[in-house]
Amino acid sequence: MEPAPLVSIVIPIYNQSHFVCGAIDSLLAQSYKNIEIIVVDDGSTDDLYDKLDNYKSEVKIFSQKNMGQSAALNKGWSESTGAVLGYLSADDVLYANCIETLMESFSDKVAVVYCDYDLIDASETVIRRVKSGDFSLVGMYQNLICYPGVGALFWASDFKFLGGWKTDLVFTPDFDFWLRLGSSKNFLRVPKVLGAFRVHEGSGSIVVISAEKPNEIILLVESYAELIKSYGNLDVARSIAQLRAARSHWQSGRFVVGCYHIFSAFLMRPSHFFDGSTYRLLFGGLTRRFLYRVLKLINK
């Protein structure tokens, strides 16, 4: 019987020491035991190393100046020795059977294996359950669905071949990586809730973001225009990118800029005006933010 492949999980962290112990503990508690845990400090200025002191014998720790999440992940994966790679944000957790369950479905015919997950708040109260959706090429390239989330695993050989995440991307480096990977191999969803994504004041779905970041998805579509045309309708993808940019601008209080992107989206694809999914996409971010504020008040 062949030994279980080593799975290397990288935790990139920047000033989130109050959450990192939960992330590390969730990896140490995995039923799958052949795991390499790597923490990459991206220039933190808080008490991170006080928290990490108790894990020195169980976790590999690297540090770098503040260069962003993509650079931290690339650093960690480059230092890893596992055949299978994954990552865990410092504020998220994996449930105890996550890696074992995913590895049972992983094979050399699959590029990425991923799961469903919970949305939790800062105190780990479940807000709602997220069904990631079964993978399709049209879904990813035309409808811009980023299927893999918390707990996703992929092959180290693919990381090396593709050169990792692009460090010039802040808002969409994961999606860019999946786009490059998805054109050659299949993704597999395991329809089980195996982890939790934490929503809090500092998370991307809540925090106010700069005016440049939402436009990354628009530029991404243009950079992969030929690839997108191979699997779907480029005009649909362009319109959805404009809608996603609009949602991010609205989430950050830039309503006029958001409306401009909505107008651009409808010009590209007028039928989106009559599509209910358009409005779910647009208002999803605002609803999430409102729900978070309500739960925060309730839990005070």
Side-chain angles (χ1 to χ4, degrees):
M1 185 175 178
E2 293 185 4
L6 177 64
V7 177
S8 298
I9 305 294
V10 176
I11 301 176
I13 183 167
Y14 175 70
N15 288 347
Q16 288 192 322
S17 63
H18 49 297
F19 288 127
V20 71
C21 291
I24 294 173
D25 288 343
S26 77
L27 293 177
L28 293 174
Q30 290 295 304
S31 56
Y32 189 97
K33 295 305 179 184
N34 199 16
I35 300 175
E36 178 182 49
I37 304 173
I38 299 172
V39 174
V40 180
D41 169 31
D42 189 39
S44 297
T45 57
D46 59 6
D47 62 343
L48 173 62
Y49 287 93
D50 291 338
K51 300 291 178 62
L52 293 179
D53 197 51
N54 294 328
Y55 299 100
K56 286 183 177 179
S57 63
E58 299 167 296
V59 175
K60 295 181 179 179
I61 302 170
F62 298 93
S63 62
Q64 63 181 32
K65 65 180 181 180
N66 184 234
M67 299 169 64
Q69 182 190 44
S70 296
L73 284 171
N74 287 341
K75 169 69 174 176
W77 288 326
S78 296
E79 298 286 352
S80 69
T81 58
V84 178
L85 304 181
Y87 66 97
L88 182 64
S89 295
D91 49 356
D92 296 341
V93 295
L94 299 185
Y95 296 154
N97 62 335
C98 177
I99 294 178
E100 180 180 14
T101 304
L102 291 175
M103 288 299 292
E104 287 172 353
S105 299
F106 207 20
S107 72
D108 56 7
K109 296 180 181 179
V110 175
V112 183
V113 64
Y114 63 99
C115 60
D116 298 341
Y117 56 92
D118 287 328
L119 284 183
I120 61 174
D121 64 13
S123 61
E124 301 196 5
T125 299
V126 175
I127 300 172
R128 69 180 178 91
R129 191 147 282 181
V130 177
K131 181 179 178 181
S132 298
D134 292 320
F135 177 77
S136 79
L137 290 168
V138 172
M140 185 162 73
Y141 289 99
Q142 173 183 286
N143 300 325
L144 308 184
I145 300 172
C146 185
Y147 292 100
V150 178
L153 301 176
F154 56 96
W155 293 104
S157 56
D158 287 328
F159 163 75
K160 294 174 183 176
F161 178 75
L162 293 173
W165 285 18
K166 293 182 178 178
T167 57
D168 59 329
L169 297 176
V170 178
F171 209 45
T172 58
D174 54 342
F175 191 44
D176 171 85
F177 185 74
W178 307 136
L179 286 173
R180 285 185 281 143
L181 185 55
S183 61
S184 59
K185 292 185 178 180
N186 189 36
F187 290 21
L188 178 66
R189 169 181 169 245
V190 174
K192 296 180 180 179
V193 176
L194 300 175
F197 176 90
R198 195 185 305 270
V199 180
H200 57 90
E201 290 288 355
S203 58
S205 57
I206 297 296
V207 71
V208 173
I209 58 178
S210 66
E212 295 79 18
K213 289 182 183 179
N215 296 331
E216 276 190 10
I217 188 65
I218 297 172
L219 298 175
L220 202 64
V221 167
E222 295 307 317
S223 66
Y224 292 106
E226 293 303 316
L227 189 58
I228 289 170
K229 284 193 288 187
S230 299
Y231 300 109
N233 187 306
L234 180 58
D235 286 339
V236 172
R238 283 170 168 163
S239 179
I240 292 174
Q242 293 286 342
L243 292 172
R244 291 190 181 279
R247 180 180 66 178
S248 295
H249 283 299
W250 277 8
Q251 178 184 309
S252 297
R254 294 183 292 272
F255 295 101
V256 174
V257 177
C259 288
Y260 167 79
H261 285 288
I262 292 171
F263 180 70
S264 298
F266 289 156
L267 284 179
M268 293 174 180
R269 197 73 177 176
S271 61
H272 276 162
F273 185 81
F274 306 100
D275 189 340
S277 64
T278 296
Y279 301 97
R280 288 194 294 273
L281 187 159
L282 283 172
F283 294 106
L286 295 177
T287 302
R288 188 184 305 115
R289 201 173 193 189
F290 174 76
L291 180 60
Y292 172 78
R293 302 296 184 192
V294 171
L295 288 172
K296 187 177 179 183
L297 288 173
I298 291 174
N299 293 326
K300 273 189 175 181

